[in-house]
Amino acid sequence: MATASRAKHKFCRRIGYCLWNDPKCPSVERPFAAGPHGKGRRAKLSTYGELLLEKQKLKNYYAISEKQLQIAYHKAKAGLGMTHEKLLKSLELRLDALLFHTGFAPTIYAAKQFISHGHVLVDGKKLTRSSCKLKEGQVITIDPAKSPAIAEMARKANRTVPAYLEVDLENLKATLTRVPQMEEIPVSGSINVMSVVEYYAR
């Protein structure tokens, strides 16, 4: 996976805060870019630069490639409805994003790894594709007998779960009760998704 091999919090240093609100992120103590000139005055971005930055935030938050984000954008652009809302909802309904927001995985990268290694079941069936989109009513589970280390990690999770997910921590089960509203998605307040749409619509 191309995105996982990069320094995961280097981008957080550049923007001055952690994308995932991780208290262990280096940007908490060093909210400036890496390198000898990191503490210098931040250059004012052009209009294009601002659009590009929002696109990079969204791509990094969900740990997806440029190609994956482009495909998601073109699908969101088709049909009725607001493109920026459909884009964000479609990314949030990915299996890796939902697993991360249940708290069963400590990071989005760990969520991807758990899925690809076969530790995650959806409606009782093993899925190894992180990009798989879930539908209302589908259930995510982790089998503690087959994945004891993952189960122990999941039970120690301490994360605020979005309202569209119902989590049974004891049985390591999470249900997508409904499609999320735009304002409920955790990242919606820190990324301007409309700017991402404007970037691709140029």
Side-chain angles (χ1 to χ4, degrees), residues 85-121:
E85 290 190 8
K86 291 193 292 180
L87 173 60
L88 188 58
K89 287 179 183 179
S90 103
L91 293 176
E92 183 60 24
L93 290 173
R94 287 170 54 103
L95 177 56
D96 52 4
L98 291 173
L99 182 66
F100 171 51
H101 288 141
T102 61
F104 292 172
T107 66
I108 188 71
Y109 299 97
K112 290 175 181 292
Q113 188 177 57
F114 293 173
I115 294 164
S116 65
H117 289 186
H119 296 294
V120 179
L121 308 176

Side-chain angles (χ1 to χ4, degrees), residues 13-34:
R13 291 278 309 273
R14 183 151 73 86
I15 62 176
Y17 64 91
C18 183
L19 274 173
W20 306 278
N21 295 317
D22 183 353
K24 295 181 181 178
C25 176
S27 66
V28 175
E29 293 185 1
R30 300 188 297 279
F32 46 82

Side-chain angles (χ1 to χ4, degrees), residues 110-192:
K112 290 175 181 292
Q113 188 177 57
F114 293 173
I115 294 164
S116 65
H117 289 186
H119 296 294
V120 179
L121 308 176
V122 175
D123 293 341
K125 296 180 181 179
K126 185 192 297 183
L127 285 183
T128 56
R129 198 159 54 91
S130 296
S131 60
C132 179
K133 301 285 176 57
L134 267 61
K135 297 178 181 178
E136 185 177 321
Q138 289 195 289
V139 179
I140 302 169
T141 52
I142 294 174
D143 187 344
K146 293 182 180 178
S147 311
I150 303 296
E152 183 181 358
M153 188 184 303
R155 288 198 173 108
K156 291 179 179 177
N158 182 22
R159 183 177 295 124
T160 301
V161 178
Y164 46 89
L165 286 167
E166 186 178 278
V167 174
D168 179 354
L169 199 57
E170 183 63 30
N171 295 307
L172 295 178
K173 180 173 76 172
T175 305
L176 177 63
T177 57
R178 57 181 172 78
V179 175
Q181 296 298 313
M182 180 79 170
E183 63 276 6
E184 294 176 317
I185 298 174
V187 76
S188 63
S190 57
I191 296 177
N192 186 344

